[in-house]
Amino acid sequence: MASDVLTRARRGLDSYFGVTAAGSTFRREVMAGTVTFLAMSYVLAVNPSILGDQGALGDKGIPMQAVFTATAVAAVFGTLVMGIWARYPIALAPGMGLNAFFAYTVVLTMGIPWQVALSGTFLSGVIFFVLAITKVRERILNAIPLQLKFAVGAGIGLFVAFLGFKNAGIVVNSDATFVTVGDFTKSTTMLALFGLVLTVIFLVRGWHGAVLYGIVATTTVGMIFGIVDVPHSIAELPKGLDQTFGQAIIHLPDAFTGQMIVVVLTMLFVDFFDASGTLIGVANQAGLLNKDGTLPRAASAMAADSVGTTAGAIIGTSTTTAYVESTAGVSAGGRTGITAIATAGWFFVAMFCFPLFSVIAGSAEITAPALIVVGVLMARSLGDIDWQHLEYSVPAFITVIMMPLTYSIANGLAMGMIFYPIVMVAKGRGKDIHPVMWALMVLFLGYFFFLVEH
């Protein structure tokens, strides 16, 4: 009797997720989900180190344990939605780059409280959801030049890598030259350099969990030499969400300001196009695209991503989005939503391991190599920019370079949006500019002249 029930349930799951039809098996899907988790689990240490109150933000940051728990819960929820609803082997978690924007631009530079920043994240998720389930999604995708989309990803990569070099002590401030090389004889800098070299070796060797393995090895060496504290325990019950849950809703009225319009638009823009690129890229590797190159169930997949962002903001973390590390699971054979469900299961287990991850998150020299490597991976889109045509390369270059130089993703994005219509008109291609780009140009000009503190 029981075996009959299990058999019917298995057939039902197979029919819904299309495991057999995709040429896969349940065992392979679960193993692929495990590989995906190993490839992206570093976010459990890196996200609290960026958003938490024990890093650069100090008392302006979100309580560290709350960020860790929120990161894990958001990853579980968002990945389950993607796996069950959209049925893709794609995992979600708070995105790298947007968490840096949240912390260093919105909270640290603009002086916006993290509670209000969460409200901005929530609003961007709601708008994203509306765009995802309507045809407006396609119009927006067509309005923004492809070259600027590449530039935004690459610029965020340089910005994230710069944060990593700074946190490692490899790059330090200088009164004479603004920045200069740090002191390599410092124990923390030496540990970060060791971690960077080791992580790069793992990466070029093709290890799917390269970043995680690098973090583990660096932490172990740091503990042996007394640079990093030894955790008092391995696991404990999750806690801290009482400090963040619902803050995005409570402070929603404070999010309707001129500054926050730019914040929300930046979050929306980056998440929208990052999610689109990741979904198509992962689906293409898995052989799931239609013959015409379109994404099946595109509305469901994009909506799932937006739901992850909205729920993550309510829980207490920055933008939750699709992770390109999902390609690791796909390369291991993952083809259906079962892979995502398995990944969510591992994030649930990790939710109980805060004492271990807190040691890593509280040590910038350990997480710095991860930021640098992630920056390298994001900067690969530089090769997709058409550098031979100045009407594309000029705004793209300005977008890329202004993000690290002004310590702001929003500033780089805004400058690129302003320069694109200018160079296109100068080239005699004013008719090719979409009305949306003109509107964004005016908006970002207002941002620089009236909203940026001088």
Side-chain angles (χ1 to χ4, degrees):
M1 184 71 177
S3 61
D4 291 340
V5 173
L6 289 175
T7 300
R8 286 196 296 269
R10 185 184 182 89
R11 288 175 179 171
L13 288 174
D14 193 352
S15 175
Y16 179 76
F17 288 102
V19 176
T20 301
S24 185
T25 65
F26 282 94
R27 176 183 174 83
R28 188 184 302 164
E29 294 290 309
V30 172
M31 288 301 297
T34 303
V35 171
T36 298
F37 172 77
L38 290 174
M40 62 183 288
S41 57
Y42 66 86
V43 69
L44 292 168
V46 178
N47 201 47
S49 74
I50 292 176
L51 302 181
D53 56 6
Q54 295 180 28
L57 295 184
D59 58 3
K60 294 182 180 179
I62 307 174
M64 179 74 78
Q65 188 161 11
V67 180
F68 171 82
T69 306
T71 300
V73 173
V76 171
F77 180 83
T79 304
L80 284 176
V81 172
M82 180 64 75
I84 296 173
W85 183 17
R87 290 171 285 169
Y88 276 110
I90 297 174
L92 279 67
M96 301 300 298
L98 278 173
N99 54 3
F101 171 70
F102 183 107
Y104 297 102
T105 298
V106 181
V107 176
L108 198 59
T109 303
M110 293 183 171
I112 295 172
W114 61 263
Q115 296 91 337
V116 181
L118 287 176
S119 298
T121 305
F122 173 80
L123 287 175
S124 72
V126 171
I127 298 172
F128 190 175
F129 181 80
V130 174
L131 296 178
I133 61 176
T134 63
K135 292 185 177 180
V136 177
R137 177 186 74 252
E138 297 176 4
R139 295 174 184 173
I140 296 294
L141 285 171
N142 294 332
I144 307 299
L146 185 61
Q147 305 300 316
L148 285 184
K149 298 173 189 175
F150 293 145
V152 169
I156 292 175
L158 294 188
F159 179 74
V160 169
F162 181 68
L163 291 178
F165 283 118
K166 176 178 175 292
N167 292 346
I170 298 173
V171 172
V172 296
N173 65 328
S174 167
D175 293 335
T177 60
F178 290 107
V179 292
T180 188
V181 69
D183 181 2
F184 283 13
T185 63
K186 289 181 61 177
S187 59
T188 53
T189 303
M190 291 177 65
L191 182 62
L193 285 168
F194 167 79
L196 177 60
V197 171
L198 201 61
T199 304
V200 169
I201 291 174
F202 292 158
L203 194 67
V204 298
R205 294 293 297 175
W207 294 14
H208 294 311
V211 177
L212 174 65
Y213 302 148
I215 288 175
V216 171
T218 306
T219 304
T220 302
V221 171
M223 290 178 181
I224 292 174
F225 287 93
I227 303 172
V228 178
D229 295 331
V230 177
H232 59 81
S233 63
I234 300 299
E236 66 179 27
L237 291 175
K239 56 186 177 181
L241 286 189
D242 58 306
Q243 298 171 288
T244 59
F245 188 85
Q247 292 297 317
I249 304 300
I250 294 173
H251 293 270
L252 198 57
D254 300 325
F256 294 95
T257 65
Q259 271 191 323
M260 286 303 296
I261 290 176
V262 174
V263 169
V264 171
L265 283 176
T266 302
M267 290 177 173
L268 174 64
F269 181 90
V270 175
D271 187 21
F272 189 79
F273 291 104
D274 184 52
S276 300
T278 300
L279 290 169
I280 292 174
V282 176
N284 181 52
Q285 182 174 337
L288 300 176
L289 294 181
N290 294 321
K291 292 182 179 180
D292 60 356
T294 58
L295 183 71
R297 306 184 303 279
S300 297
M302 296 285 279
D305 192 286
S306 64
V307 169
T309 292
T310 305
I314 295 174
I315 294 166
T317 185
S318 55
T319 304
T320 301
T321 189
Y323 259 60
V324 73
E325 282 82 356
S326 301
T327 54
V330 168
S331 67
R335 292 294 182 272
T336 74
I338 297 294
T339 293
I341 294 172
T343 304
W346 281 114
F347 270 109
F348 178 80
V349 173
M351 192 187 308
F352 295 85
C353 300
F354 174 72
L356 182 60
F357 281 98
S358 65
V359 170
I360 302 172
S363 303
E365 62 273 14
I366 295 178
T367 56
L371 292 174
I372 296 169
V373 169
V374 169
V376 171
L377 298 176
M378 295 182 71
R380 288 184 295 186
S381 60
L382 281 170
D384 297 318
I385 296 173
D386 184 358
W387 296 103
Q388 302 305 313
H389 294 84
L390 290 176
E391 64 268 32
Y392 297 138
S393 61
V394 169
F397 177 78
I398 289 175
T399 299
V400 171
I401 199 66
M402 288 296 286
M403 287 188 185
L405 290 187
T406 64
Y407 215 64
S408 169
I409 293 172
N411 288 344
L413 176 64
M415 288 292 286
M417 292 291 184
I418 291 171
F419 266 85
Y420 178 75
I422 294 174
V423 295
M424 287 292 284
V425 169
K427 186 67 175 179
R429 297 182 56 187
K431 293 181 179 179
D432 295 334
I433 303 173
H434 196 282
V436 170
M437 291 302 298
W438 286 114
L440 289 174
M441 177 184 180
V442 173
L443 176 67
F444 285 125
L445 280 171
Y447 163 68
F448 281 118
F449 280 103
F450 302 109
L451 298 179
V452 175
E453 294 186 9
H454 302 287

